[in-house]
């Protein structure tokens, strides 16, 4: 997705969680919120969840 779309002129930002495990995501809520709050329109961010 990162290389398929030019987001620089869009009024959205995309944050991708690289995990589908809810228990793992719950342990990283602060990290996810921090990335979301720092993301600007047109940005693409991936969050690695261990």
């Amino acid at each position: 997705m990162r290389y398929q779309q030019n987001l620089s002129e869009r009024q959205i930002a995309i944050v991708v969680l690289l995990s589908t495990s809810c228990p793992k995501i719950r342990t990283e809520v602060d990290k996810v919120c921090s990335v979301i709050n720092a993301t600007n329109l047109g940005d693409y961010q991936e969050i690695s969840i261990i």
Side-chain angles (χ1 to χ4, degrees), residues 4 7 21-22 25-26 28 31 33-35 39 41 47:
Q4 294 175 351
L7 299 175
S21 171
C22 225
I25 294 169
R26 284 188 187 131
E28 301 288 341
K31 180 179 180 180
C33 289
S34 176
V35 170
T39 301
L41 293 177
I47 303 173

Side-chain angles (χ1 to χ4, degrees), residues 1-5:
M1 181 175 227
R2 171 184 294 223
Y3 302 108
Q4 294 175 351
Q5 301 294 321

Side-chain angles (χ1 to χ4, degrees), residues 2-17:
R2 171 184 294 223
Y3 302 108
Q4 294 175 351
Q5 301 294 321
N6 179 2
L7 299 175
S8 62
E9 297 180 17
R10 306 285 181 181
Q11 295 297 310
I12 64 169
I14 296 176
V15 176
V16 177
L17 303 179

Side-chain angles (χ1 to χ4, degrees), residues 17-48:
L17 303 179
L18 298 177
S19 175
T20 59
S21 171
C22 225
K24 288 181 180 180
I25 294 169
R26 284 188 187 131
T27 65
E28 301 288 341
V29 169
D30 290 337
K31 180 179 180 180
V32 172
C33 289
S34 176
V35 170
I36 290 171
N37 289 330
T39 301
N40 296 311
L41 293 177
D43 284 352
Y44 176 91
Q45 299 287 331
E46 291 182 347
I47 303 173
S48 178

